[in-house]
Amino acid sequence: MPDSPVVRLEKDGEIGVIIVNYPPVNALGPGVSDGIIEHLNTANADPSVKAMVLIGDGRSFIAGADIRGFGSGRKRPPIGQRTYDVLDASPKPVIAAIHGFALGGGLENAMACHYRIAVASAKVGLPEVLIGILPGGGGTQRLPRLVGAQTALELITSGRHVPAPEAAGLGIIDEIVPEGVGLRAAAVAFAGKVADARPLPRVRDKTVSADPAIFGAMRKSIARKARNQKAPYHCIDAVEAACTQPFDDGIRREAQLFAELETSEEAKALRYAFFAEREVAKLPDLPTSIAARDVTSPAVIGAGTMGGGIAMSFADFGYDVKIMDANREALDRGMQRIRSNYATSVKRGSLAEDEMQRRLARIHPVAGYQDIGDCDVVVEAVFERMDVKKPVFAKLDEVMQPDAFLFSNTSALDMDELASVTKRADRIAGTHFFSPANVMKLLEVVRPSKASPETLMTAMALGRKIGKISAMAGNTDGFVANRSRAPFNSEMVILLEEGCLPEQVDRVMVDFGYPMGPFAVGDLAGLDIGAEGRKRRAAANPNYRTLPIADKLVDMGRHGQKTGAGWYRYETGDRTPHPDPEVAAVIKSVAAEMGVPQRTFTDSEILQRLLFSSVNEACRILEEGKAYRASDIDVMWLHGFGFPRYRGGLMYWADGIGVREVYNQIAAWHQQYGERWAPSKLLRDLAQTDTPLREAKPAPFA
């Protein structure tokens, strides 16, 4: 067999070093597995080689399979001829030397080696469940034999990445390479020590058993999070096989379960989401010669719920951040809220006490503008009104260095109007965080007309550096995420006018896969927030469709959880939403005043009324050139609104129904309900040519 271009074999004394070089992350792409097997066979046939090291060039060991191959009809090697099987059967010891990531097939190859060593910064894991499949290279059989069934279940069904020191404690890693010692040198030395050790320690030869009750308990524990999904349950079935069947039988059972998942609708949707999240970072109309600036000293203006969450986002990723507010009392309240949020994480066990103290120490409350003048980026997060934000931007323009970036955490306001009060319109952009800002992954970067490419790239890059998924949006009312969601928000209240109740709508959306129903989410966010936006839009548009039921509740002081009542009522100290007869009475009264006939609704009609309205608006957004791609809108819905990931995203889900069927239903509702359901031109054009929504060609970005 000819030498593989992506895998090479070098000799280091009596040790053969098999090196994977498939940039950027050494995925198991074409030629990698064959190359490993080729060089493993060569080294085993060479009497001068006593042991082998498997190591990766570049920034990772092996970061996993090449996802593009899944579901493509690719031919997989039969059991017994895969890298995992050949590594496992090697008559000479093989040591996996891990840096960067060993994920999925990468960790499965490492577990098929006889020993595993890693640098402390490495991470390992089996994240296949996150793309709707299970570890199909022996991972469900070998991991339980290393760490026990319970831990294996937790790691495989969560897909989490495990830091090397923790992995060593669990038994996945045999040795952590001391700091300052090169990984290759350490691996070669380790190989020399174990070269003559026999019998070889094969993971497959270890035994594992478990109380059968743990499998039922795990199925029960994931039921809410894993509803409507197959992969987490198939993972449990495979680990159960590891504990109840001989290794070879367990491997065959794993392969059977994997095959059932690989081409499932769930796996297709999750693969689509995976690639959409990578595509969203691409800005095709900006010059590639201009790079983002590396900003290092952020400040946040406003210590309210959003400002505090943004400051936490910076601190969580190692940034020292300054935070200020209009007065000392507001700043003190904000800092207390930050401390309480961190303390809650410690109490839940998701954050260590010492790490909380480190993060708090990075957040520096300051008295006024004079204390932030040396910062290179400022995120304004004051109240969502133009007359409040404009004076802040004018003052920032005055005190900040000329090359500092000024970003606004606005959810809907005109960024060009905000930039107009400064002399640096080219250095201003929107950075719309979603609530709670320290938790939600989406950062919508809003593009004003005068923002420079460097400014936009810097905002996008900054979001990624603090753990967000950055997505570009045009400067339109509500931008992309909230604008596309607005019809959903209106339609859910209009449904009440026609006879629905909040709890019915919420049940339908939770059954669909949302973590919370939209009315419960409204109570969490605060009904007064939405009312403020409705007032602004009604003042600007005489034809604006009012929502009298929602406005009536706000007028009654029912602002949501913070007032103990909104769409639901809440007991003191309890966030459980309870259906409220008073709300039902308000709905009935207002509907009677409006003269709207009452009727019953099927779950399907409720679901489609909400989501089709937003699909139509998303098409308008693309038609106007306010988003780059339909898949960008899907990413925003996944990470901004909790759209169920295993359904791919709003537009992907609608494609599953069919663009013609979506258009026909919207056209029918247009006839029934009037102009709010007028089909967009883009949707009509796509339906006429039967072109999927996600293949729509949007207008040039505007």
Side-chain angles (χ1 to χ4, degrees):
M1 184 182 291
D3 188 50
S4 167
V6 292
V7 184
R8 66 185 187 273
L9 174 64
E10 297 177 356
K11 285 184 68 174
D12 198 325
E14 295 182 319
I15 308 303
V17 182
I18 300 170
I19 304 165
V20 178
N21 182 23
Y22 190 80
V25 293
N26 290 337
L28 291 168
V32 175
S33 294
D34 287 344
I36 292 172
I37 293 172
E38 170 195 346
H39 294 306
L40 190 69
N41 290 337
T42 298
N44 270 314
D46 186 344
S48 68
V49 173
K50 302 293 186 185
M52 286 82 81
V53 167
L54 178 62
I55 194 169
D57 250 352
R59 62 189 202 222
S60 267
F61 173 67
I62 297 171
D66 186 342
I67 294 173
R68 290 167 294 190
F70 290 128
S72 62
R74 68 199 170 113
K75 188 174 181 181
R76 303 181 76 216
I79 293 171
Q81 297 177 31
R82 305 172 304 172
T83 51
Y84 324 104
D85 312 314
V86 178
L87 284 164
D88 185 86
S90 171
K92 298 176 184 177
V94 185
I95 295 84
I98 301 169
H99 74 295
F101 293 100
L103 301 175
L107 180 57
E108 289 177 304
N109 273 292
M111 290 191 294
C113 295
H114 304 104
Y115 303 92
R116 289 153 295 284
I117 71 170
V119 297
S121 60
K123 291 185 177 180
V124 305
L126 296 174
E128 284 87 349
V129 71
L130 302 179
I131 54 169
I133 56 174
L134 56 73
T140 65
Q141 305 305 297
R142 288 188 175 89
L143 188 62
R145 287 171 163 81
L146 285 173
V147 304
Q150 183 67 50
T151 300
L153 285 170
E154 291 167 0
L155 294 181
I156 293 172
T157 59
S158 70
R160 79 176 177 93
H161 298 179
V162 183
E166 180 187 353
L170 292 173
I172 301 171
I173 303 296
D174 295 303
E175 186 176 286
I176 298 294
V177 177
E179 196 171 337
V181 177
L183 176 61
R184 173 169 171 159
V188 168
F190 188 100
K193 287 189 296 183
V194 301
D196 297 323
R198 296 294 186 279
L200 294 176
R202 300 194 305 172
V203 174
R204 65 171 290 148
D205 295 335
K206 295 177 178 287
T207 57
V208 60
S209 60
D211 181 344
I214 72 168
F215 301 105
M218 179 59 73
R219 291 182 183 99
K220 185 176 180 181
S221 73
I222 68 168
R224 186 173 183 275
K225 186 176 180 182
R227 64 184 182 279
N228 304 332
Q229 299 176 69
K230 296 178 183 176
Y233 294 102
H234 276 41
C235 288
I236 296 170
D237 291 349
V239 173
E240 188 170 19
C243 300
T244 57
Q245 299 178 19
F247 183 84
D248 289 332
D249 291 345
I251 286 287
R252 284 189 285 272
R253 177 62 174 152
E254 176 190 86
Q256 176 193 358
L257 292 166
F258 180 91
E260 291 175 11
L261 292 173
E262 186 180 6
T263 57
S264 68
E265 293 305 313
E266 170 189 334
K268 291 175 186 175
L270 287 165
R271 287 196 294 270
Y272 167 83
F274 177 88
F275 288 114
E277 287 164 350
R278 280 137 191 84
E279 192 74 11
V280 79
K282 298 175 182 177
L283 311 177
D285 61 336
L286 297 186
T288 56
S289 58
I290 297 176
R293 227 178 70 206
D294 186 20
V295 291
T296 58
S297 53
V300 176
I301 310 297
T305 301
M306 288 303 296
I310 294 167
M312 291 173 70
S313 296
F314 281 114
D316 291 352
F317 283 82
Y319 285 88
D320 278 282
V321 56
K322 295 178 180 179
I323 185 169
M324 61 167 280
D325 210 313
N327 56 64
R328 187 74 211 183
E329 293 75 19
L331 186 58
D332 289 344
R333 283 196 305 272
M335 288 302 299
Q336 182 53 48
R337 188 182 299 109
I338 289 170
R339 284 189 285 269
S340 296
N341 287 339
Y342 277 134
T344 299
S345 297
V346 172
K347 187 176 180 180
R348 289 175 179 162
S350 59
L351 184 68
E353 173 76 28
D354 58 347
E355 178 59 21
M356 177 185 78
Q357 296 303 332
R358 281 192 290 271
R359 294 182 186 186
L360 279 170
R362 296 182 192 126
I363 302 175
H364 308 280
V366 297
Y369 289 98
Q370 69 277 5
D371 298 307
I372 64 169
D374 59 343
C375 293
D376 52 16
V377 61
V378 181
V379 179
E380 164 274 310
V382 301
F383 192 68
E384 181 75 351
R385 267 179 31 191
M386 191 65 80
D387 61 343
V388 177
K389 291 181 181 287
K390 276 184 172 179
V392 172
F393 261 69
K395 185 65 176 178
L396 287 171
D397 189 45
E398 178 186 321
V399 302
M400 303 304 298
Q401 294 294 323
D403 62 346
F405 298 101
L406 309 186
F407 297 150
S408 175
N409 175 54
T410 174
S411 59
L413 299 180
D414 185 345
M415 283 302 305
D416 280 321
E417 185 178 344
L418 198 51
S420 71
V421 301
T422 75
K423 299 181 182 67
R424 63 176 87 200
D426 63 322
R427 294 192 167 270
I428 288 174
T431 48
H432 176 206
F433 290 79
F434 285 67
S435 183
N438 57 305
V439 175
M440 297 298 285
K441 296 279 286 183
L442 178 62
L443 177 68
E444 195 176 24
V445 174
V446 185
R447 180 175 179 171
S449 60
K450 296 182 180 178
S452 70
E454 182 190 43
T455 299
L456 298 172
M457 290 175 175
T458 298
M460 292 282 286
L462 182 61
R464 292 190 290 271
K465 288 176 182 175
I466 57 174
K468 307 300 182 188
I469 293 178
S470 300
M472 186 68 72
N475 186 34
T476 179
D477 190 5
F479 313 134
V480 172
N482 282 350
R483 178 179 161 183
S484 64
R485 173 77 175 199
F488 177 116
N489 293 340
S490 296
E491 208 64 31
M492 74 189 212
V493 181
I494 294 171
L495 281 168
L496 304 187
E497 298 171 5
E498 299 176 24
C500 271
L501 288 172
E503 53 267 32
Q504 183 183 1
V505 175
D506 278 2
R507 178 188 56 76
V508 168
M509 300 315 292
V510 168
D511 288 348
F512 179 70
Y514 275 89
M516 292 175 68
F519 287 104
V521 170
D523 279 354
L524 180 62
L527 303 192
D528 51 326
I529 303 298
E532 188 70 33
R534 288 195 298 275
K535 287 178 186 176
R536 179 171 54 78
R537 291 184 177 96
N541 177 10
N543 298 317
Y544 181 73
R545 195 347 175 141
T546 60
L547 301 176
I549 294 174
D551 292 338
K552 176 73 171 174
L553 293 183
V554 172
D555 291 343
M556 293 167 63
R558 298 181 67 109
H559 294 177
Q561 286 189 14
K562 58 190 172 186
T563 59
W567 294 109
Y568 299 96
R569 64 175 178 81
Y570 299 87
E571 306 293 346
T572 303
D574 184 6
R575 294 187 173 188
T576 304
H578 298 281
D580 193 339
E582 187 173 355
V583 172
V586 168
I587 292 170
K588 187 174 181 180
S589 170
V590 172
E593 291 173 11
M594 297 174 69
V596 179
Q598 304 292 282
R599 65 184 180 90
T600 58
F601 290 83
T602 65
D603 290 356
S604 175
E605 184 177 357
I606 292 170
L607 180 69
Q608 293 189 358
R609 278 273 294 270
L610 297 184
L611 293 180
F612 283 11
S613 67
S614 283
V615 169
N616 195 30
E617 189 64 23
C619 287
R620 287 196 184 95
I621 289 168
L622 292 167
E623 190 180 306
E624 295 169 17
K626 299 300 182 183
Y628 284 121
R629 296 160 285 256
S631 61
D632 288 8
I633 297 172
D634 283 335
V635 170
M636 293 182 189
W637 275 64
L638 291 173
H639 294 285
F641 304 132
F643 193 92
R645 186 177 178 83
Y646 59 85
R647 297 193 187 277
L650 176 71
M651 307 295 265
Y652 182 92
W653 167 80
D655 273 339
I657 294 170
V659 67
R660 286 185 179 177
E661 186 171 335
V662 172
Y663 170 78
N664 289 340
Q665 181 60 77
I666 288 174
W669 282 332
H670 182 210
Q671 294 295 316
Q672 182 177 356
Y673 294 112
E675 282 308 296
R676 80 174 190 273
W677 278 102
S680 72
K681 180 181 182 300
L682 177 63
L683 179 60
R684 184 172 63 249
D685 292 346
L686 294 173
Q688 287 174 347
T689 57
D690 208 18
T691 302
L693 292 158
R694 61 185 184 273
E695 293 179 15
K697 304 298 183 189
F701 206 100

